[in-house]
Amino acid sequence: MTKSNIIVDNKSTESATKTKAKATLVVEKEVVAKATPKPKAAPKAKAAPKAKAAPKAKAVPVVEIAKKKILFVTSEAAPFIRTGGLGDVAGALPVTLNELGTDTRVILPLYYDIPESFRKAMEYVGSVYVTLAWRTQYCGLYKSVYNGVTYYFIDNEQYFKRAGIYGHYDDAERFSFFSKAVLECLRLIDFYPDVIHSNDWHSALVPVFLDSFYRDNENYHYIKTVFTIHNIEFQGKYGDDLSEDVLGLPADKVDLIRYAGCINFMKGGIESANVVTTVSPSYAEEIMDRYYAYGLEMILKDRGNKVCGIVNGIDTDVFNPAKDKFLVKNFDYASIEDKAVNKEALLTMLGMEYNHNTPLIGMVTRLTEQKGIDLLVARLDDIMQSNVQVVVLGKGDWKYENMLIELASRYPEKLKVIINFSTDIANKIYASSDMFLMPSKFEPCGLSQMISMRYGTIPIVRMTGGLKDTVQGFDPTQLTGDGFTFYSYNADDMLDAIMRAIGTFNCKREWNAIIANAMSKDLSWKASAVKYLELYNKI
Ligand code: GLC
């Protein structure tokens, strides 16, 4: 087993200060006390004595501290494979946790859709067999180190060698296999983490399987579990027969995953994990309510004392207007006038006219009910009466796609709808727009509002979930705040917030203040990773 690696040298104030952040987070209190004693105040009467050289005989005491071992279990992780926000979280949080001094590793399925360039860099680790009720399935394991994080990939061609990562007829079996394989593979890599952190329904069964099949083994006995809900809408609900046919759980554990007449993976995760988190404190409160909980409110209320919210960050290296290779001209706050160069280029590319005084509202979104597209289509005609242009990039439900295409055909000069997803165009929209609209019905965290702020693009948001926790409404009297906000899920309230934003756009002093506030906001992962680490240390 690998021990060590934070070394606290209590003779060197400089290194003690440098390591302090790490040490206080990962070390038990007594150890910290030993490692970094408080400096005594110099006696008042005497002048400060010259620092004496350390006596040679005494060796510098070095305290070796075991790194906290975390296994982050996820169904997607950028840059290998990503379909949404979970992929971004899995690509950034473990990196930051390791910068804080942990040994965090990530494990995900070896999907066919992972690009060849990444596959080539993988190393074969070994194989084990995984039992799922009456089946015994092969499980290969590969690994790859990226950005200071070891990623493990679970290989089984029957389950993962196909196009598309979700939405297959046998998803329940595929992700049950994945969750059990994760536990089986620990002995292959001889890595028994302090904490297994699983995410969303796809890996919600990890704590259930751990409690049902592995606790008697001393290596697994003390492992703690964290389960994070990124979106409670998707719970992994299946017919009751799955339990006997695939999961093979002991009779006394089946109730953990049974809920409202079916098998519910997410419910199992909530019941079994030591701690349940979600991706913002406001969403943690909201999901106690029927309106947001998609049927799980009673379960969450019962387990309320172990539920908390930690807001996501964004990867500020990836989302950086000063370096983003998709921009026509890079900029930062000091060269904010170059934002307009991007705006002109984007509008020209889309066949729209550029006018410096006409604000551009951008949207990069899934076209689904969650994202508040109903409100948008209900008020687009009204929005179009103002001096404004709108660009929407996204795909999703065909009814919203069709409604937006029809609306765009009526306002060719002012509204462009691109039914697609492209990182290139997405980043151009983040950088070029003056405002970014996110009228979500619910939003566990949301990343786009943070990306927009980083690019000096002012969010217009409904105050729900992570939007409430990351955007502060603009106060023109104090010049504080970094966005325009509304509360009720109501089209007129959204329109009002849009009109306030448009009205403020040409007040240069105010608009510059909002941009300055947005661009100077700390949106990095650091603060959130510290909170996760505190949580891992506490359980
Ligand atoms: C889901 C949520 C989104 C969140 C993301 C990452 O996609 O819908 O709000 O930001 O997960 O946690």
Side-chain angles (χ1 to χ4, degrees):
M1 261 204 250
T2 37
K3 281 244 166 181
S4 145
N5 300 308
I6 299 173
I7 296 168
V8 181
D9 171 355
N10 71 358
K11 276 277 148 54
S12 150
T13 337
E14 199 203 332
S15 86
T17 336
K18 269 191 196 158
T19 49
K20 198 176 159 208
K22 287 181 184 179
T24 46
L25 289 166
V26 295
V27 182
E28 298 297 333
K29 273 193 186 110
E30 331 67 274
V31 185
V32 177
K34 240 200 242 167
T36 52
K38 270 193 186 165
K40 278 185 194 157
K44 272 179 195 161
K46 286 184 196 166
K50 266 192 185 173
K52 277 185 198 163
K56 272 182 191 162
K58 277 191 194 167
V60 176
V62 169
V63 180
E64 292 208 342
I65 299 145
K67 281 188 177 190
K68 196 90 186 166
K69 287 180 287 180
I70 318 294
L71 185 64
F72 196 86
V73 189
T74 177
S75 55
E76 52 182 275
F80 302 98
I81 188 107
R82 177 200 178 276
T83 70
L86 171 60
D88 291 314
V89 173
L93 172 60
V95 177
T96 316
L97 283 167
N98 281 354
E99 284 165 6
L100 290 173
T102 68
D103 179 1
T104 301
R105 307 185 192 182
V106 180
I107 189 159
L108 66 154
L110 181 62
Y111 299 108
Y112 180 68
D113 285 353
I114 294 178
E116 187 58 28
S117 55
F118 288 123
R119 288 169 163 271
K120 272 191 193 145
M122 292 177 193
E123 182 190 316
Y124 176 72
V125 178
S127 69
V128 286
Y129 282 90
V130 175
T131 53
L132 281 177
W134 50 269
R135 299 165 190 74
T136 301
Q137 302 287 43
Y138 165 86
C139 164
L141 190 71
Y142 288 78
K143 79 168 187 180
S144 187
V145 178
Y146 190 88
N147 269 348
V149 176
T150 300
Y151 290 83
Y152 294 106
F153 300 87
I154 301 259
D155 175 36
N156 176 296
E157 294 194 346
Q158 180 192 333
Y159 293 132
F160 303 124
K161 193 177 178 187
R162 44 176 111 167
I165 75 171
Y166 307 128
H168 296 286
Y169 74 96
D170 55 350
D171 276 2
E173 186 177 326
R174 294 168 72 228
F175 291 106
S176 301
F177 165 79
F178 169 61
S179 301
K180 195 136 184 235
V182 165
L183 294 162
E184 212 50 58
C185 283
L186 300 187
R187 59 188 171 85
L188 201 58
I189 52 179
D190 192 24
F191 181 73
Y192 296 99
D194 299 302
V195 179
I196 297 185
H197 185 161
S198 55
N199 294 275
D200 272 351
W201 75 264
H202 312 94
S203 53
L205 291 186
V206 174
V208 178
F209 285 143
L210 178 63
D211 286 349
S212 304
F213 299 113
Y214 295 88
R215 285 294 187 197
D216 288 345
N217 180 323
E218 62 170 340
N219 289 320
Y220 292 78
H221 195 71
Y222 297 103
I223 296 176
K224 302 285 188 202
T225 50
V226 173
F227 173 58
T228 294
I229 300 170
H230 295 260
N231 190 339
I232 207 166
E233 187 182 356
F234 307 108
Q235 299 173 4
K237 291 195 214 170
Y238 296 98
D240 225 9
D241 53 336
L242 189 85
S243 170
E244 208 184 309
D245 183 39
V246 176
L247 309 181
L249 291 175
D252 64 327
K253 299 287 182 193
V254 174
D255 277 349
L256 286 174
I257 51 158
R258 238 190 221 134
Y259 189 59
C262 56
I263 298 297
N264 187 319
F265 283 35
M266 188 170 267
K267 189 249 183 187
I270 296 169
E271 296 271 31
S272 307
N274 294 105
V275 174
V276 176
T277 74
T278 182
V279 285
S280 68
S282 291
Y283 192 59
E285 274 174 34
E286 287 172 351
I287 55 176
M288 300 291 163
D289 192 278
R290 223 178 125 218
Y291 181 83
Y292 291 97
Y294 284 84
L296 285 178
E297 65 277 6
M298 292 319 286
I299 300 296
L300 284 158
K301 272 192 202 155
D302 278 354
R303 304 276 175 266
N305 58 350
K306 65 170 184 181
V307 181
C308 71
I310 298 178
V311 76
N312 291 332
I314 55 168
D315 189 326
T316 46
D317 286 332
V318 171
F319 299 108
N320 181 356
K323 290 193 188 147
D324 189 327
K325 62 180 187 327
F326 295 116
L327 306 198
V328 173
K329 187 144 194 205
N330 289 113
F331 64 92
D332 57 16
Y333 182 64
S335 57
I336 192 69
E337 60 286 352
D338 288 340
K339 189 171 164 62
V341 178
N342 290 289
K343 179 173 166 185
E344 185 166 4
L346 176 70
L347 290 175
T348 309
M349 185 180 101
L350 299 176
M352 293 161 94
E353 208 169 294
Y354 167 74
N355 178 345
H356 190 69
N357 294 320
T358 304
L360 174 64
I361 302 181
M363 283 183 89
V364 176
T365 182
R366 273 185 291 123
L367 299 173
T368 59
E369 196 187 325
Q370 178 197 341
K371 299 295 176 178
I373 310 302
D374 284 315
L375 302 192
L376 179 73
V377 293
R379 287 295 173 272
L380 253 174
D381 279 317
D382 300 84
I383 298 168
M384 290 291 106
Q385 306 315 309
S386 297
N387 176 29
V388 68
Q389 290 170 304
V390 177
V391 176
V392 182
L393 171 70
K395 52 184 182 178
D397 297 351
W398 66 267
K399 72 168 179 177
Y400 295 127
E401 292 182 355
N402 288 347
M403 281 189 220
L404 286 169
I405 289 167
E406 192 273 324
L407 278 158
S409 71
R410 286 199 269 135
Y411 302 100
E413 298 301 320
K414 301 184 83 172
L415 171 63
K416 228 358 141 242
V417 174
I418 308 161
I419 304 294
N420 202 339
F421 187 78
S422 136
T423 312
D424 177 347
I425 300 176
N427 287 24
K428 286 188 166 79
I429 294 176
Y430 286 125
S432 308
S433 306
D434 299 293
M435 300 145 194
F436 190 91
L437 179 61
M438 243 176 129
S440 304
K441 191 170 190 183
F442 67 93
E443 197 60 74
C445 179
L447 301 173
S448 296
Q449 80 281 13
M450 292 193 265
I451 301 171
S452 310
M453 286 191 266
R454 176 103 172 110
Y455 285 72
T457 301
I458 304 311
I460 304 170
V461 303
R462 181 166 104 81
M463 292 302 247
T464 180
L467 298 175
K468 191 170 163 191
D469 295 340
T470 56
V471 178
Q472 189 192 340
F474 178 61
D475 175 349
T477 59
Q478 308 293 321
L479 297 185
T480 53
D482 37 46
F484 291 86
T485 62
F486 64 103
Y487 286 84
S488 301
Y489 190 68
N490 172 311
D492 287 323
D493 288 4
M494 176 197 71
L495 183 63
D496 178 67
I498 294 173
M499 289 309 160
R500 274 185 280 127
I502 294 174
T504 313
F505 178 69
N506 282 313
C507 309
K508 286 302 156 206
R509 178 171 156 264
E510 280 79 1
W511 199 255
N512 283 340
I514 307 177
I515 291 184
N517 295 344
M519 290 185 90
S520 60
K521 200 161 192 159
D522 181 9
L523 301 163
S524 72
W525 264 104
K526 179 80 185 290
S528 315
V530 165
K531 291 205 173 105
Y532 276 110
L533 198 42
E534 280 167 2
L535 187 77
Y536 298 149
N537 281 331
K538 218 162 54 186
I539 55 176

